[in-house]
Amino acid sequence: MILPFEKYTVDWKKQFETIEIELLDALSELAVSVEHIGSTAVVGLSAKPVIDVLVGVAVESDLDKVAGLLSAGNYVYYEKYNVLMPYRRFFLLLNQSPEQLGIPKRFTQSDEIPETVHDHQYRRAHIHVIPINSEHWLRHIAFRDYLSAHQQVKAQYQTLKEHLVEREWKDGNDYNTYKDAFLKEHEQKAVTWYRKLHNL
């Protein structure tokens, strides 16, 4: 598949703000923070036009309450990812109901992901739910802010992404694998920079 790739637009920030309101309402019984992350959160960076959202829960045991609270919306819960990343709960937010697309609202360990799910035209956002006091939260926030503050690194990332989107991919995870070396190198630098900046 050829992944969609668009130039930065301020509309991504507006889309995030709408999704943030929806999530805060749906998760109102929990203590959560919601942040815009990923390439759509970095001004000037091209990206797949799907908003990455980081939801931080104050209490780790609340991770398993999130799926029930989001069950009424257009969310698809990737329960199958919990084995690889037990600290995270991942959801797709679709632009229409899963039922309309013939997609289950939950993918368990044994489920195959249908081709429809890989079609980015149906995706509004990727929702990553993790403990707010974790290294994983810090890593995502630090990398976002690091890219915004370091124009040369942002330009390198832009060039890498422009090269990769010209290729065909099995899915988004396959594409992400080829960004992994760059991400690991600069996420480490970003965390060091962020800790120093904020005296952490």
Side-chain angles (χ1 to χ4, degrees):
M1 66 183 297
I2 297 293
L3 294 171
F5 189 66
E6 298 180 7
K7 291 186 180 297
Y8 178 83
T9 170
V10 294
D11 188 54
W12 289 340
K13 182 175 186 293
K14 296 174 184 176
Q15 290 180 43
F16 164 74
E17 290 169 348
T18 299
I19 294 166
E20 178 185 24
I21 292 170
E22 294 171 3
L23 284 168
L24 288 173
D25 180 59
L27 302 175
S28 60
E29 69 180 62
L30 305 180
V32 299
S33 295
V34 182
E35 291 280 346
H36 189 184
I37 59 166
S39 295
T40 61
V42 180
V43 174
L45 194 59
S46 298
K48 301 188 299 295
V50 180
I51 309 303
D52 276 296
V53 180
L54 191 65
V55 177
V57 293
V59 181
E60 188 169 356
S61 59
D62 284 347
L63 283 173
D64 289 321
K65 298 177 182 178
V66 174
L69 295 171
L70 296 184
S71 62
N74 293 342
Y75 298 92
V76 175
Y77 175 33
Y78 277 61
E79 185 179 10
K80 66 183 299 165
Y81 286 177
N82 295 359
V83 174
L84 290 175
M85 297 184 180
Y87 57 84
R88 184 189 74 162
R89 301 295 178 268
F90 179 76
F91 301 81
L92 284 185
L93 174 57
L94 304 174
N95 54 28
Q96 54 189 288
S97 73
E99 291 83 0
Q100 287 177 299
L101 295 171
I103 297 171
K105 291 187 68 70
R106 179 186 300 243
F107 289 117
T108 62
Q109 188 67 25
S110 60
D111 291 331
E112 292 293 326
I113 306 298
E115 285 299 317
T116 309
V117 177
H118 297 308
D119 191 335
H120 283 66
Q121 70 172 313
Y122 299 121
R123 299 184 179 199
R124 284 180 66 198
H126 300 150
I127 314 296
H128 314 259
V129 186
I130 61 178
I132 197 169
N133 60 352
S134 67
E135 288 296 314
H136 304 290
W137 174 274
L138 175 63
R139 173 173 55 85
H140 284 294
I141 300 300
F143 186 63
R144 178 199 64 190
D145 292 357
Y146 183 80
L147 285 178
S148 297
H150 295 80
Q151 297 304 307
Q152 184 175 357
V153 179
K154 182 171 75 172
Q156 291 172 358
Y157 194 33
Q158 173 77 17
T159 300
L160 173 64
K161 284 152 62 77
E162 288 174 351
H163 173 69
L164 292 178
V165 295
E166 293 177 354
R167 303 173 56 176
E168 289 211 19
W169 303 97
K170 177 182 177 182
D171 53 36
N173 290 333
D174 190 26
Y175 163 76
N176 288 335
T177 298
Y178 281 77
K179 297 191 300 179
D180 195 54
F182 180 93
L183 293 176
K184 284 184 177 177
E185 175 188 353
H186 289 285
E187 282 176 347
Q188 290 178 353
K189 293 178 180 178
V191 168
T192 299
W193 168 83
Y194 190 89
R195 286 185 180 279
K196 183 176 181 181
L197 182 68
H198 295 279
N199 296 313
L200 298 177

